[in-house]
Amino acid sequence: MEKMSRVTTALSSSTISGKTMFCHLDAPANAISVCRDATQVVVAGRNIFKIYSLEEEQFVEKLNLRVGRKPSLNFSCADVMWHQMEENLLATAATNGAVVTWNLGKPSRNKQDQLFTEHKRTVNKVCFHPTEVYMLLSGSQDGFMKCFDLRKKESVSTFSGQSESVRDVQFSMKDYFTFAASFENGNVQLWDIRRPDRYERMFTAHTGPVFCCDWHPDDRGWLATGGRDKMVKVWDMTTNRAKEIYCVQTIASVARVKWRPERKFHLATCSMMVDHNIYVWDVRRPFIPFATFEEHKDVTTGIVWRHQHDPHFLLSGSKDSTLYQHRFKDATRPVDKANPEGLCFGLFGDLAFAAKESLISSDAKIKPYAGGDRRYPIFFFKKPDLTEQFAHVSSALSVFETDLDSNRMDWFVKTAQLYLLSGKPFAELCDHNAKVAQDLKRPQVSTTWTMLRIMFSDPANVTTPGPNHNLSKLGTLPLMNSFSMKEIGSGMGSERGLERSKGESRQDNIHLEPGNSHISNNNEENEETEGSEGQADYMFGDAELDDDDLYSMEHDNQTEEQEYTLPQEAFQLRHEIMDNPSAPEHLQQDKADSPHVSGNEAEVTCLTPIESFSLISISQPLFNPHLPASFFCPIVREMLSYYAEQGDVQMAVSVLIVLGDRIRKEIDDLTQEHWYMSYIDLLQRFELWNVSNEVIKLSTCSAITCLNQASTTLHINCSNCKRPMSNKGWICDRCHQCASVCAVCHHVVKGLFVWCQGCSHGGHLEHIMNWLKSSAHCPAGCGHLCEYT
Amino acid sequence: MEVQDQESLGRWDGLGSRDASSRTAAMENIHQEVMRKVEAIGPIPAQAPLPLASGSPATSDLNDILAHLLMLSKRCPFEDVRERSIRLLRAIQDLGVRIPRPLGNGPSRFIPEKEILQVSKVDTRTQSIFEDAFAALGRLDNISLVMGFHPQYLESFLRTQHYLLQMDGPLSLHYRHYIGIMAAARHQCSYLVNLHVNDFLQVGGDPKWLNGLDEAPQKLQQLGELNKILAHRPWLLTKEHIEHLLKAEEHSWSLAELIHAVVLLTHYHSLASFTFGCGISPEIHCDGGHTFRPPSLSQYCVCDIANGNSHANHHDDLFGNQELCGEVEVLMERMKQLQECRDDEEASQEEMTTRFEREKTESMLVVTAEDEECVPSRDISRHFEDPSYGYKDFSRRGEHVPTFRVQDYSWEDHGFSLVNRLYPDVGQMLDEKFQMAYNLTYNTMATHKDVDTSMLRRAIWNYIHCMFGIRYDDYDYGEINQLLDRSFKIYIKTMVCSPEKTTKRMYESFWRQFQHSEKVHVNLLLMEARMQAELLYALRAITRYMT
């Protein structure tokens, strides 16, 4: 043993080497401490008290201090500390309230030196003075701190925290006389060792217990505290009031905190519950740990840096009965795995997106859109701080703005008010709605209505749109639009082009033929966008805000969908025209070729009176038998889902109502109900009560219609006895009189009955109106001042 | 019909308002309604008063309302409502309807009614707590009234309970009440069961579940085992039990739900202890709280008779007091001695361990008064299975269960963090409640003032934990023997381990000179200590499962 104690050689920090290694202990550890020259470590716990030496490759057990056949509770350690000046001196805090010192230089097997049993409760912490050999401080559950002179048999001074449970005591590294104590009630106290009567300073550091504190090894004013509230705080104690300068939020309560040597801003923490990892934080970067050690399988109970001037090795003991040496190089760096990306919506629909610069730059070559520059890439560069060893990540922030106009929902309100959903023949409804959409500059919607009319009109109704078109010149526009579009589509043989032209033609309705160059332009842009990565999504997300200006972008987005929906659409258009008429005779089969005919029709509608219309309809009836209206149902269904997904649930619901039975069976009830509910909700937010009510009324979903049947009960009082009328009918069951007697003519009212909510009297609407014109009082003579509004 | 039902539910709501005029309006409504109901039953022949609970729904409905009115007249914290209720009851009586009268004397069978702070003359703080409680629940239960001795604690208790039952949480409302019923039924606490059966139905629980645990969902049935162990032998709880609950395919619990359930179970186990320990009487408006029989038939509440209590007991006490007048002084003297001589005599480790063991063993020998298995009434027993499973002494068990060291797993360090992590805010509330109970003192003992009672409180707390096998390294268990006498130990043991066997005699035989408020204080300590002990075992098992 003598030999062992002399092993102390002056190791300089540079010679420390080793690897990440561990050894099994026999029992869970509660605390560990390392001797000054970093060659040995002591592990203490309820059932363990051993010294291990740190070899290059492994831990080697040197000494078992837990001796005796039936070890007493004095060996059950809550804390242990190795003296930093005197390598033979150890102190432990026992769970039964004893403070024990151990002298490794003793020749006997039992190294116990002194035993102080002054504390009444468990001692949570012992701490040697960093420079004074004989001074030992303890903090206990009973709320007292005691300072022992190891040359005496008992404590030299007692400090009362005036509160329960001292959790940690630490001598200041730089101020000879100062020590800090942390308490279970969240306070931290600073004491002068010469003045046991009163603390120098006290402040509340945490909510709930402060489990640990640690003075900064170099900076004299800094104190780190960790608490049950999952926070680590760094306090500047040089000012008059303790000032919180850094705060790190961890994911579990903080059991221990230790500053990392030689690194001013680093500290290591571990937790006593749930989380088994050890984290090293750079306090300036509080949101992500600088490094993590993930070896332990149960909570870490003790951490200590191996040498006070070496930042590369950390020792830790754990409840899983292992002792680890962690080499810093082997730590995981969470920052490498983190995604430095963020996304946020602004109050007015602006979207901010920050991502790694490398990701952003790849698509930075995308040209700004014609509609104006909506993205403002901003690049942040944090000035690299040499002392900060964090991997530097620069991210770019893009802000996508929506202009206020496009975000307005005027069109929604107007559309809701102007649409006709019932009360007229189907074709008229469609035309009306098409016109509404047209007036609001929503050509696609308008076209859709027109197409619907064409698809689903039965022959008898075909003539009706005629006059409509004739009446207003504008009314012809949508129709022509759709046809011109088809011409181009067939001309180009490309569905995408067709869709494009549709979008374009909206911008300028008068031009029937948008320039081909324009279209190709759009296509290029289209492809470019497709090529870009994740970024592109956000632009589209923006576009989904459903504003007309972004229309073209919206189409970009849908290229994939269109690729399969459109072929069908092209079909549909072609056939639909043939479907239009259904006269008994089929005269011109050949003419059924679509573009030609459609052109024809467009002209005809513009120029000829009604009769010509019917002529045409007679002229192309041939395919009618083959193409019933139900033929279009799948397409219409997809169209509706498309609108609903685009956020234009208004369109989906309106079409649903107007088409009625024609389409209802094609769409499952849940989806329908969902659409209805969304639309009604929207309407109600815009306070369009009448429209919402109409929609509810017209809906066929039972779940929707019942909305109108809720809370329809009207509670009334009997006008005689003033008690609530319980049974339905005119006779009050209590006073056995007829309740609804007109107060003016004293006859029973059958029909419209008006009554005062104040006095329950009333009568025939007409009588009461007349009465109240001349008198303010109730006609029944009850004296109530009734009011008729 | 639906309208009618809603009406009857909403009927009492207005009474909880702090605004006097809306209370008046609500009372007016009730008045009209009752009158209507009375008339609906038809003209009453003067000679033949209403038959008791005659089958017609109208009558029983009326009876329910009358019972509720009776409760209001006694328990409502608002003076005006009490007066109006009394007046209304009288008016109805004048119409020839038989009105109910309360059974038993006040909220507790052990404590004279006049001792319990009368709701009308409490201080403003208690009054406002009572008003809050009344507004929240539409009633002021007897438990709250008895706890009204200690308003600080009551506030914390009600806040926690309200959060557990009404506020955000992983479990749905009817589950919470059902778990409450399960827990209370374990101790055959009909008071709590009745209370929560009503609440359970009110929040839309399926009445079928009340037929027994078999009818409840599989998920709840699995909780039965945990309930059983937790209530009687929490030290047997292992991580396998937890695993069994969490890994049960479609019936499995989530961790957060489990924590919620565990907190509820322990809350109601310990509340059952309190209920029995203070002899809480049934609520006036619940079954067994009132009767329509004329008072001449019986002088005593049935339960009093069953417990062998009679008014004669009080005379005994008078004599007893004279003999034992020195009791308090002796206790204080002992505390003083312990305080002083603790430094002189340093017991060896072996000695300390032996003391803990001895206390443990002794607690086993403290036998509860009636040892015969009392068969629980069928009504309650259907809520739990395996009625024979009861408390078995910690140390008597054949297999050796290692002692639970608080230093290794404590509420402050470990339990709190776990609860707060999985069920936010509750950890904080429980922490406050525990601290409140542990630190509550008025520095008085019986008639003596300025006494430091911390030693006594700690002895009680640790004694209870000792019965659950939880040991504090830094406590000398010899102190318990000095401070707690035998009758007190019997009371504690009965209340904590098999509360349903608590009798009035036990309540009266310990600490005879102490005031009732102090005995209630002791009960609060017992309740919280028990809850913490159960929680510690449950949370430790969960922690072990997680690591």
Side-chain angles (χ1 to χ4, degrees):
Chain A
M1 292 305 146
E2 290 280 340
K3 247 184 277 164
M4 200 216 74
S5 58
R6 265 190 270 115
V7 185
T8 58
T9 46
L11 269 175
S12 78
S13 62
S14 57
T15 60
I16 288 186
S17 62
K19 55 167 198 162
T20 295
M21 58 186 182
F22 75 100
C23 74
H24 281 290
L25 311 172
D26 312 329
N30 274 349
I32 61 174
S33 185
V34 73
C35 75
R36 189 176 56 147
D37 57 16
T39 53
Q40 293 174 67
V41 58
V42 57
V43 183
R46 173 172 292 284
N47 294 313
I48 184 172
F49 191 21
K50 279 181 181 174
I51 291 177
Y52 288 86
S53 79
L54 291 151
E55 311 274 313
E56 191 80 8
E57 293 291 317
Q58 60 188 344
F59 290 100
V60 175
E61 185 180 328
K62 280 282 170 192
L63 186 62
N64 187 358
L65 290 160
R66 202 177 153 78
V67 290
R69 215 180 305 111
K70 213 176 170 201
S72 76
L73 270 182
N74 291 344
F75 286 97
S76 158
C77 306
D79 191 35
V80 63
M81 181 153 181
W82 204 314
H83 202 296
Q84 294 302 301
M85 304 294 294
E86 171 62 63
E87 57 268 9
N88 279 337
L89 198 54
L90 291 170
T92 58
T95 51
N96 64 351
V99 174
V100 194
T101 62
W102 310 80
N103 185 358
L104 299 180
K106 265 192 172 181
S108 65
R109 243 182 102 229
N110 190 348
K111 309 282 183 196
Q112 182 171 330
D113 193 20
Q114 295 237 53
L115 181 68
F116 304 97
T117 52
E118 293 181 35
H119 283 294
K120 292 195 189 78
R121 306 281 305 266
T122 298
V123 180
N124 287 319
K125 195 77 192 172
V126 285
C127 182
F128 280 115
H129 195 278
T131 50
E132 198 63 45
V133 177
Y134 297 108
M135 203 184 285
L136 175 67
L137 189 66
S138 67
S140 156
Q141 198 77 12
D142 60 12
F144 291 104
M145 295 143 278
K146 285 180 189 284
C147 185
F148 302 96
D149 186 325
L150 299 185
R151 291 162 294 196
K152 293 183 183 166
K153 287 267 175 249
E154 54 194 29
S155 63
V156 285
S157 46
T158 299
F159 310 87
S160 168
Q162 306 288 340
S163 106
E164 260 201 80
S165 307
V166 186
R167 298 308 298 238
D168 199 356
V169 283
Q170 292 288 342
F171 275 112
S172 165
M173 292 296 194
K174 301 289 175 187
D175 290 326
Y176 186 88
F177 296 112
T178 308
F179 73 89
S182 72
F183 290 84
E184 199 152 289
N185 58 8
N187 288 342
V188 170
Q189 295 178 355
L190 285 194
W191 289 82
D192 187 315
I193 203 81
R194 296 161 295 185
R195 289 193 56 193
D197 53 330
R198 211 187 123 72
Y199 53 81
E200 299 282 292
R201 186 192 286 185
M202 178 166 85
F203 61 94
T204 302
H206 293 265
T207 50
V210 188
F211 286 138
C212 52
C213 60
D214 195 32
W215 290 96
H216 197 284
D218 303 317
D219 204 315
R220 68 193 300 154
W222 284 17
L223 179 73
T225 58
R228 194 171 70 179
D229 58 0
K230 307 178 190 174
M231 302 224 242
V232 179
K233 292 180 180 176
V234 179
W235 304 86
D236 184 0
M237 312 294 279
T238 49
T239 48
N240 277 340
R241 287 192 57 205
K243 203 173 92 199
E244 181 187 325
I245 45 177
Y246 295 108
C247 177
V248 177
Q249 176 88 47
T250 69
I251 58 166
S253 56
V254 181
R256 312 264 166 172
V257 56
K258 286 274 177 261
W259 287 99
R260 188 176 175 202
E262 312 286 298
R263 295 288 184 276
K264 185 172 179 192
F265 295 99
H266 287 191
L267 48 79
T269 66
C270 66
S271 164
M272 64 171 60
M273 270 304 278
V274 191
D275 186 15
H276 309 160
N277 296 343
I278 303 164
Y279 300 103
V280 178
W281 303 85
D282 185 315
V283 289
R284 294 163 301 178
R285 304 289 291 269
F287 303 109
I288 190 159
F290 176 66
T292 312
F293 300 103
E294 294 164 341
E295 280 84 1
H296 284 299
K297 292 182 185 59
D298 201 339
V299 286
T300 311
T301 46
I303 49 175
V304 62
W305 293 95
R306 185 168 162 190
H307 190 276
Q308 49 185 328
H309 294 294
D310 179 14
H312 301 298
F313 292 95
L314 179 72
L315 301 172
S316 67
S318 159
K319 284 243 155 127
D320 63 5
S321 305
T322 55
L323 173 66
Y324 259 94
Q325 168 170 281
H326 309 273
R327 192 164 64 152
F328 210 83
K329 275 191 188 130
D330 298 334
T332 46
R333 305 292 181 106
V335 75
D336 296 339
K337 295 182 203 150
N339 277 337
E341 270 147 39
L343 178 71
C344 190
F345 259 112
L347 180 60
F348 297 106
D350 297 350
L351 183 69
F353 173 68
K356 254 191 182 161
E357 206 187 320
S358 52
L359 286 177
I360 295 270
S361 55
S362 70
D363 67 357
K365 58 178 176 285
I366 288 185
K367 280 167 231 152
Y369 296 99
D373 213 352
R374 294 180 209 291
R375 300 168 54 243
Y376 304 102
I378 304 163
F379 292 92
F380 291 104
F381 294 105
K382 210 177 164 214
K383 223 179 164 196
D385 184 348
L386 290 177
T387 60
E388 193 179 343
Q389 295 180 322
F390 250 96
H392 281 281
V393 178
S394 45
S395 42
L397 176 71
S398 310
V399 179
F400 304 90
E401 286 183 340
T402 41
D403 42 29
L404 281 176
D405 281 345
S406 67
N407 209 15
R408 276 177 26 205
M409 293 282 278
D410 283 355
W411 61 270
F412 177 86
V413 178
K414 286 219 180 86
T415 315
Q417 283 166 339
L418 294 175
Y419 267 2
L420 282 180
L421 300 177
S422 66
K424 287 194 176 174
F426 169 71
E428 270 180 60
L429 291 179
C430 286
D431 279 338
H432 176 89
N433 293 345
K435 186 169 176 309
V436 168
Q438 185 64 46
D439 291 346
L440 290 168
K441 300 203 168 43
R442 304 175 71 213
Q444 196 193 19
V445 173
S446 167
T447 314
T448 310
W449 280 113
T450 316
M451 289 196 299
L452 282 172
R453 176 180 67 79
I454 298 168
M455 282 188 238
F456 287 94
S457 288
D458 41 327
N461 285 341
V462 160
T463 48
T464 45
N468 209 0
H469 283 287
N470 283 344
L471 281 176
S472 76
K473 291 261 186 263
L474 268 180
T476 61
L477 275 175
L479 204 57
M480 295 163 84
N481 228 343
S482 73
F483 295 145
S484 70
M485 190 179 70
K486 185 157 51 64
E487 272 164 354
I488 294 162
S490 54
M492 287 179 64
S494 134
E495 285 82 19
R496 192 185 290 157
L498 174 139
E499 193 61 19
R500 175 83 22 240
S501 72
K502 212 204 271 184
E504 283 305 309
S505 61
R506 168 203 45 83
Q507 287 176 354
D508 198 351
N509 284 317
I510 298 129
H511 299 312
L512 291 183
E513 296 182 343
N516 262 353
S517 58
H518 207 144
I519 294 168
S520 54
N521 235 356
N522 267 336
N523 277 342
E524 271 170 36
E525 186 186 314
N526 202 2
E527 272 146 27
E528 243 181 54
T529 328
E530 266 191 309
S532 70
E533 288 144 23
Q535 264 295 281
D537 284 340
Y538 291 105
M539 295 165 209
F540 299 145
D542 201 19
E544 270 174 69
L545 289 177
D546 203 33
D547 32 72
D548 286 354
D549 285 81
L550 291 173
Y551 221 80
S552 53
M553 285 164 61
E554 200 171 10
H555 285 295
D556 294 345
N557 196 15
Q558 287 133 26
T559 42
E560 297 143 52
E561 287 170 46
Q562 283 158 9
E563 251 150 280
Y564 62 86
T565 57
L566 274 173
Q568 288 176 319
E569 204 171 355
F571 259 118
Q572 156 206 24
L573 284 171
R574 195 171 296 136
H575 293 297
E576 137 223 325
I577 284 145
M578 300 159 204
D579 176 39
N580 247 345
S582 76
E585 294 161 280
H586 317 262
L587 295 177
Q588 299 171 317
Q589 303 191 359
D590 299 350
K591 275 211 164 184
D593 227 3
S594 61
H596 197 65
V597 174
S598 61
N600 250 356
E601 200 187 24
E603 277 161 37
V604 169
T605 19
C606 290
L607 302 173
T608 57
I610 317 159
E611 289 90 323
S612 71
F613 224 101
S614 58
L615 249 183
I616 288 182
S617 55
I618 292 166
S619 72
Q620 15 164 281
L622 181 69
F623 292 123
N624 184 38
H626 307 294
L627 293 171
S630 65
F631 175 82
F632 302 109
C633 284
I635 298 152
V636 174
R637 188 181 61 212
E638 279 178 36
M639 187 265 296
L640 290 184
S641 320
Y642 162 72
Y643 275 114
E645 271 164 34
Q646 285 301 298
D648 191 358
V649 74
Q650 178 178 50
M651 184 66 187
V653 172
S654 303
V655 171
L656 201 57
I657 292 175
V658 170
L659 283 179
D661 286 332
R662 296 176 184 87
I663 192 70
R664 189 169 300 130
K665 289 184 201 75
E666 295 290 318
I667 300 168
D668 68 295
D669 287 348
L670 265 180
T671 319
Q672 285 195 34
E673 195 184 318
H674 182 62
W675 291 348
Y676 273 118
M677 289 309 280
S678 320
Y679 188 38
I680 290 165
D681 189 42
L682 269 174
L683 289 171
Q684 292 183 342
R685 272 164 204 261
F686 282 102
E687 303 185 349
L688 297 164
W689 310 112
N690 289 338
V691 185
S692 103
N693 207 33
E694 191 190 355
V695 170
I696 294 174
K697 208 173 100 192
L698 290 172
S699 80
T700 45
C701 295
S702 52
I704 304 296
T705 38
C706 74
L707 286 179
N708 260 1
Q709 276 143 33
S711 60
T712 51
T713 315
L714 207 57
H715 297 276
I716 50 171
N717 280 352
C718 170
S719 59
N720 286 318
C721 60
K722 295 194 174 173
R723 293 200 186 127
M725 295 272 287
S726 58
N727 56 355
K728 287 130 200 152
W730 294 323
I731 310 290
C732 171
D733 56 355
R734 216 146 305 114
C735 50
H736 305 293
Q737 288 208 12
C738 191
S740 50
V741 172
C742 176
V744 181
C745 66
H746 300 285
H747 284 97
V748 173
V749 184
K750 293 177 179 171
L752 283 180
F753 182 77
V754 62
W755 76 99
C756 169
Q757 293 184 330
C759 63
S760 318
H761 295 121
H764 294 100
L765 176 63
E766 215 176 310
H767 292 164
I768 297 292
M769 269 165 75
N770 286 334
W771 177 274
L772 288 174
K773 266 179 203 156
S774 52
S775 164
H777 288 273
C778 176
C782 68
H784 187 257
L785 284 168
C786 302
E787 203 175 328
Y788 179 81
T789 47
Chain B
M1 212 47 220
E2 266 180 13
V3 182
Q4 193 87 28
D5 278 342
Q6 277 170 4
E7 199 185 310
S8 68
L9 278 179
R11 184 189 295 147
W12 312 103
D13 282 356
L15 294 178
S17 162
R18 280 191 184 277
D19 172 33
S21 60
S22 60
R23 289 201 301 267
T24 313
M27 208 58 215
E28 191 58 38
N29 270 338
I30 292 166
H31 184 97
Q32 288 191 6
E33 202 184 325
V34 172
M35 284 310 181
R36 206 187 66 215
K37 284 219 157 66
V38 171
E39 281 169 36
I41 288 166
I44 298 146
Q47 308 83 353
L50 276 179
L52 246 179
S54 67
S56 86
T59 326
S60 70
D61 197 21
L62 176 67
N63 282 349
D64 284 348
I65 296 178
L66 290 182
H68 202 113
L69 272 175
L70 179 68
M71 184 275 286
L72 286 176
S73 70
K74 293 282 183 189
R75 297 285 189 261
C76 181
F78 297 106
E79 179 80 43
D80 52 342
V81 176
R82 283 204 302 274
E83 270 172 19
R84 268 171 226 270
S85 304
I86 293 171
R87 236 183 295 150
L88 179 53
L89 281 172
R90 283 221 189 94
I92 294 167
Q93 196 171 24
D94 292 345
L95 286 174
V97 179
R98 170 164 293 163
I99 60 163
R101 62 184 183 83
L103 274 172
N105 312 315
S108 162
R109 280 178 284 119
F110 297 169
I111 308 167
E113 190 170 10
K114 61 177 184 299
E115 273 265 351
I116 295 177
L117 300 174
Q118 275 309 293
V119 269
S120 49
K121 31 180 141 76
V122 284
D123 63 310
T124 48
R125 178 161 180 197
T126 321
Q127 173 76 16
S128 92
I129 297 173
F130 281 169
E131 282 171 13
D132 283 343
F134 187 78
L137 290 167
R139 60 164 191 254
L140 187 56
D141 48 30
N142 289 339
I143 291 183
S144 305
L145 278 172
V146 173
M147 283 183 187
F149 278 120
H150 308 282
Q152 296 157 296
Y153 174 83
L154 176 64
E155 204 173 4
S156 174
F157 172 84
L158 287 175
R159 192 170 52 231
T160 313
Q161 184 167 271
H162 182 249
Y163 193 91
L164 285 178
L165 290 176
Q166 257 91 34
M167 305 294 280
D168 288 346
L171 290 174
S172 54
L173 292 179
H174 60 287
Y175 262 56
R176 303 182 193 187
H177 288 293
Y178 195 78
I179 291 173
I181 295 171
M182 281 169 71
R186 217 37 256 181
H187 284 308
Q188 298 145 42
C189 180
S190 54
Y191 170 81
L192 288 173
V193 170
N194 282 337
L195 214 55
H196 284 279
V197 162
N198 285 346
D199 289 347
F200 172 76
L201 294 174
Q202 217 164 57
V203 295
D206 183 353
K208 257 200 290 185
W209 296 8
L210 297 175
N211 294 336
L213 202 52
D214 308 337
E215 309 257 348
Q218 182 79 31
K219 195 169 165 180
L220 282 170
Q221 291 185 26
Q222 288 180 333
L223 200 63
E225 179 75 7
L226 180 70
N227 182 22
K228 191 173 77 177
I229 300 178
L230 215 46
H232 303 297
R233 301 167 203 171
W235 50 88
L236 295 181
L237 211 57
T238 60
K239 74 175 183 188
E240 281 73 29
H241 291 115
I242 304 296
E243 193 170 350
H244 181 68
L245 286 170
L246 295 177
K247 296 243 172 85
E249 319 266 289
E250 76 264 39
H251 305 300
S252 60
W253 291 74
S254 75
L255 260 177
E257 285 173 333
L258 184 65
I259 292 277
H260 195 171
V262 162
V263 175
L264 279 171
L265 285 176
T266 51
H267 180 81
Y268 280 101
H269 289 156
S270 52
L271 197 55
S273 282
F274 181 84
T275 308
F276 284 112
C278 290
I280 302 290
S281 348
E283 291 295 332
I284 293 179
H285 64 284
C286 288
D287 288 345
H290 60 272
T291 179
F292 285 88
R293 279 177 300 176
S296 58
L297 284 182
S298 149
Q299 281 267 318
Y300 309 111
C301 147
V302 188
C303 359
D304 273 341
I305 295 169
N307 274 343
N309 294 324
S310 68
H311 284 235
N313 272 357
H314 291 291
H315 300 292
D316 290 345
D317 278 355
L318 287 179
F319 290 111
N321 273 349
Q322 282 160 3
E323 294 170 24
L324 288 158
C325 60
E327 190 194 40
V328 183
E329 284 72 18
V330 171
L331 187 55
M332 286 175 67
E333 190 55 39
R334 284 212 185 122
M335 281 168 65
K336 216 162 149 196
Q337 273 171 10
L338 279 172
Q339 201 91 46
E340 283 160 1
C341 18
R342 64 175 307 134
D343 303 329
D344 312 347
E345 162 235 9
E346 187 48 49
S348 72
Q349 286 319 304
E350 288 75 23
E351 176 63 17
M352 295 294 256
T353 316
T354 339
R355 283 183 192 171
F356 175 73
E357 293 300 332
R358 191 172 61 213
E359 212 49 57
K360 230 164 63 178
T361 340
E362 211 164 275
S363 79
M364 176 186 96
L365 297 175
V366 173
V367 184
T368 50
E370 310 111 292
D371 220 8
E372 80 273 18
E373 203 60 53
C374 78
V375 184
S377 63
R378 284 247 314 281
D379 194 36
I380 308 290
S381 63
R382 66 186 179 204
H383 292 298
F384 63 90
E385 27 185 37
D386 195 4
S388 58
Y389 194 94
Y391 176 85
K392 280 277 162 13
D393 293 296
F394 180 76
S395 39
R396 189 157 61 185
R397 304 289 305 154
E399 67 267 42
H400 179 70
V401 184
T403 304
F404 186 116
R405 308 274 188 159
V406 153
Q407 268 75 10
D408 291 346
Y409 199 99
S410 68
W411 164 255
E412 284 81 12
D413 294 1
H414 306 90
F416 172 89
S417 300
L418 184 64
V419 172
N420 230 24
R421 187 185 181 86
L422 294 167
Y423 188 13
D425 299 343
V426 165
Q428 199 65 45
M429 287 180 185
L430 291 176
D431 199 39
E432 273 167 33
K433 190 156 72 88
F434 288 141
Q435 294 222 355
M436 181 65 75
Y438 191 85
N439 293 329
L440 189 69
T441 181
Y442 305 96
N443 292 321
T444 55
M445 272 176 79
T447 50
H448 301 264
K449 293 214 167 70
D450 296 324
V451 189
D452 179 10
T453 57
S454 60
M455 193 175 247
L456 191 57
R457 282 180 281 130
R458 195 170 163 214
I460 297 172
W461 188 276
N462 287 358
Y463 182 60
I464 293 156
H465 279 190
C466 171
M467 281 189 292
F468 284 98
I470 298 175
R471 178 173 175 190
Y472 290 78
D473 279 348
D474 52 0
Y475 189 67
D476 175 6
Y477 285 84
E479 280 183 27
I480 289 177
N481 239 5
Q482 306 267 327
L483 298 177
L484 313 184
D485 61 23
R486 190 170 168 78
S487 57
F488 188 32
K489 279 183 178 171
I490 291 178
Y491 179 73
I492 293 179
K493 166 114 195 210
T494 316
M495 221 195 96
V496 170
C497 300
S498 40
E500 60 277 6
K501 291 177 187 154
T502 316
T503 61
K504 190 172 184 183
R505 191 185 297 278
M506 284 184 204
Y507 176 84
E508 275 163 357
S509 60
F510 84 91
W511 280 14
R512 296 186 184 211
Q513 288 181 318
F514 283 79
Q515 281 154 19
H516 285 294
S517 80
E518 288 171 309
K519 290 192 174 186
V520 171
H521 184 174
V522 166
N523 268 296
L524 294 179
L525 261 181
L526 302 190
M527 170 167 116
E528 293 300 334
R530 172 172 185 202
M531 179 169 180
Q532 198 181 69
E534 283 185 23
L535 260 183
L536 279 177
Y537 276 110
L539 294 175
R540 189 179 66 163
I542 293 174
T543 308
R544 283 182 175 168
Y545 166 79
M546 288 169 74
T547 53

